Amino acid sequence: MGVVVENLDLFWSGFLRTLLMSVAAGVIALLLGTVLAGFRVSPVPPLRALGTGYVNVVRNTPLTAVFVLVVFGLPQVDLTFQNYVLAAIVALSVYTSAFVCEVVRSGINSVAAGQAEAARALGLTFRQSLGTVVLPQAFRTVVPPLGNVWIALVKNTSIAGGGFAVADIAFYGPSIIRDNPGSALWVFAGVAFFYMVITVPSAIAISRIERRTAIVR
Amino acid sequence: MTERPAGEPLVRLSGVNKWFGELHVLQDIDLTIDRGEVVVVIGPSGSGKSTLCRTINRLESIENGEITIDGQRLPEEGKELARLRADVGMVFQSFNLFAHKTVLENVTLGPIKVRKQSKADAEKRARELLDRVGVGHQADKVPAQLSGGQQQRVAIARALAMDPKVMLFDEPTSALDPEMINEVLDVMTSLARDGMTMIVVTHEMGFARRAANRVVFMDGGRIVESATPEEFFTNPTSDRAKDFLSKILNH
């Protein structure tokens, strides 16, 4: 356990980077995923096809492959990121948005059809009825699965440190072990602990949000 | 034939056909509704009367034929359709109040989002309408806290807030407990008296007698009879209507 305390500064600096990637990618993925879900239920066929195509390609690609494409593929078309943290945020956002899209879409489908009909009958456009009537109700039913996506995202950030030299928690773990042979178990316990510093409070917050936003029907 | 003063009818359906897969739910429907007219559509289950009602604001699309409202052909999709729907009020069997919004917000949503009214104006008018339908003191509750009859009256206020040219009622009392039916019918009757153009799909024969200018009887996707309530209830011409009336009026 001493090894964790001795390297607390490294763990802390890695933790902050993990948190930064998680929050940034989480926000972007939530926005992008919601837009994609809107595409998938849109009355306009090309938008539907775009949404479906995106989800099917991205969701079925391993995250590591998405990272490789962003870090080494995009520079081929002259799109180079200034640093790996930024590239990691892009890769994580692209990947996670596909999962957010499907969660939000299932929420949209859970809203009674009459709600959207009533909105359209009032003269709201598709986008207005989605934004003001359907999505606010959809989000409330998908708080738990969105929480799952968030927690998976937090842990997925470790691909950035493990394989792409972003100095996050998963990056410092192995490097501390190299400097302190025989301490692997304690270091990994420390790594797990710092992920849990994000995920466990998140889980508690998620169930609180779920209770607070429940709709009486 | 007498000259109609209003000229072009407010709602006109001509040669309308619709299929649900193999099922021909609307067959060559011709129907015109004049300004201020109250038309009650009755008929057995599956006769197509709800579908007919829902085609008028294009919640159901049609395969062929033409529907015009105030001389304007129903657009197929997009902003023009939304604009036209704003002028056509709709009241549903299952109320469909927005579950996450208060009663007041339900009524102000359309005027604010579609008519671009200020929040203050929309709320003032919404409170007047809620008072008019007798649920003014429920304005800050959410729909689930109201009885069915109260919810349906809110739904009527929500539709009226858009100042529609015509109101569609799709079996507005069919989901209500018997003791709540009259409070909704009373509101509808007073609307009819005030000159609102209404198309009402219902099983409430009392309302048809009391408030309708015309009864349209449907069966098997066709309009079988169209007559004044007096003529229809005392002297129906088709066998199908006679049979229908004998079944529902004898108990």
Side-chain angles (χ1 to χ4, degrees):
Chain A
M1 197 170 158
V3 66
V4 176
V5 177
E6 280 160 30
N7 292 288
L8 212 51
D9 53 334
L10 292 182
F11 272 108
W12 182 248
S13 130
F15 169 79
L16 290 180
R17 210 156 275 125
T18 296
L19 189 62
L20 168 72
M21 287 191 290
S22 303
V23 171
V27 170
I28 297 169
L30 185 62
L31 296 174
L32 182 58
T34 304
V35 171
L36 286 166
F39 282 6
R40 290 207 68 177
V41 297
S42 156
V44 184
L47 289 183
R48 272 207 304 276
L50 182 66
T52 311
Y54 181 97
V55 167
N56 283 338
V57 170
V58 172
R59 191 171 57 155
N60 297 319
T61 307
L63 178 55
T64 312
V66 177
F67 264 89
V68 169
L69 284 170
V70 169
V71 173
F72 303 114
L74 289 183
Q76 303 287 324
V77 291
D78 285 337
L79 194 64
T80 310
F81 294 100
Q82 287 162 343
N83 58 54
Y84 277 179
V85 175
L86 207 55
I89 290 171
V90 170
L92 288 163
S93 303
V94 165
Y95 181 77
T96 308
S97 62
F99 292 89
V100 171
C101 167
E102 290 303 87
V103 167
V104 172
R105 189 169 69 93
S106 77
I108 290 171
N109 290 339
S110 78
V111 177
Q115 295 283 307
E117 277 188 353
R120 275 151 55 211
L122 280 178
L124 271 69
T125 60
F126 176 78
R127 218 181 325 158
Q128 285 176 321
S129 74
L130 196 62
T132 59
V133 172
V134 178
L135 279 178
Q137 297 187 55
F139 273 118
R140 288 166 217 231
T141 64
V142 297
V143 170
L146 271 185
N148 283 345
V149 173
W150 161 250
I151 288 170
L153 165 65
V154 173
K155 295 184 287 183
N156 283 341
T157 59
S158 63
I159 302 265
F164 294 89
V166 173
D168 68 356
I169 312 174
F171 172 84
Y172 282 122
S175 81
I176 294 169
I177 293 168
R178 269 193 300 280
D179 297 341
N180 302 273
S183 65
L185 272 181
W186 277 114
V187 173
F188 274 118
V191 166
F193 172 78
F194 275 99
Y195 279 104
M196 287 198 290
V197 169
I198 303 177
T199 52
V200 172
S202 294
I204 295 168
I206 289 158
S207 60
R208 194 163 292 175
I209 294 170
E210 185 189 351
R211 259 177 285 136
R212 198 165 295 174
T213 58
I215 314 175
V216 207
R217 281 188 226 271
Chain B
M1 198 164 154
T2 49
E3 202 76 38
R4 291 201 187 279
E8 177 73 9
L10 188 54
V11 180
R12 177 199 289 278
L13 290 86
S14 47
V16 169
N17 281 280
K18 178 176 179 65
W19 283 263
F20 283 133
E22 293 283 285
L23 192 66
H24 197 173
V25 281
L26 295 179
Q27 307 188 17
D28 302 318
I29 300 287
D30 293 308
L31 181 66
T32 59
I33 292 124
D34 289 322
R35 239 166 269 275
E37 198 178 13
V38 176
V39 173
V40 166
V41 183
I42 62 175
S45 296
S47 59
K49 53 193 193 304
S50 272
T51 308
L52 174 75
C53 184
R54 290 164 56 86
T55 59
I56 296 173
N57 64 356
R58 211 178 159 83
L59 285 180
E60 299 286 353
S61 59
I62 57 174
E63 266 73 43
N64 57 52
E66 190 179 71
I67 300 175
T68 63
I69 292 174
D70 210 1
Q72 196 191 346
R73 197 189 158 133
L74 266 186
E76 304 226 321
E77 258 306 329
K79 289 225 160 58
E80 296 76 42
L81 178 60
R83 206 169 301 137
L84 196 133
R85 278 176 176 154
D87 291 335
V88 180
M90 176 118 193
V91 175
F92 300 87
Q93 180 176 351
S94 48
F95 329 134
N96 294 347
L97 292 180
F98 305 130
H100 63 307
K101 293 193 175 290
T102 66
V103 163
L104 188 68
E105 289 167 341
N106 264 275
V107 182
T108 57
L109 181 72
I112 291 172
K113 291 277 171 190
V114 180
R115 300 279 192 231
K116 309 296 179 197
Q117 288 179 14
S118 72
K119 195 171 173 228
D121 288 350
E123 285 188 353
K124 183 166 172 286
R125 171 102 167 103
R127 289 191 189 276
E128 287 167 13
L129 287 167
L130 289 172
D131 283 338
R132 178 173 168 191
V133 299
V135 286
H137 52 293
Q138 317 277 14
D140 298 320
K141 294 187 178 169
V142 293
Q145 294 172 291
L146 271 56
S147 73
Q150 290 170 332
Q151 289 193 50
Q152 194 60 301
R153 286 183 282 150
V154 173
I156 294 173
R158 176 175 69 178
L160 288 175
M162 298 298 288
D163 293 317
K165 293 174 180 169
V166 51
M167 289 273 286
L168 309 175
F169 293 84
D170 184 8
E171 302 205 26
T173 57
S174 298
L176 295 175
D177 289 340
E179 56 190 326
M180 291 172 185
I181 290 175
N182 279 332
E183 63 191 56
V184 171
L185 291 180
D186 286 346
V187 169
M188 291 168 58
T189 307
S190 94
L191 262 184
R193 298 243 160 86
D194 290 349
M196 175 61 76
T197 308
M198 294 164 60
I199 299 167
V200 184
V201 174
T202 188
H203 295 292
E204 296 297 327
M205 300 303 147
F207 175 79
R209 279 179 190 275
R210 192 162 66 237
N213 301 112
R214 186 150 51 108
V215 172
V216 168
F217 176 72
M218 286 187 74
D219 185 46
R222 290 180 186 280
I223 292 179
V224 178
E225 240 180 286
S226 175
T228 65
E230 180 66 22
E231 280 167 11
F232 179 77
F233 287 112
T234 55
N235 193 18
T237 53
S238 66
D239 289 342
R240 191 64 191 89
K242 283 176 193 159
D243 182 49
F244 180 75
L245 286 175
S246 73
K247 280 178 185 150
I248 57 160
L249 295 179
N250 280 350
H251 59 84

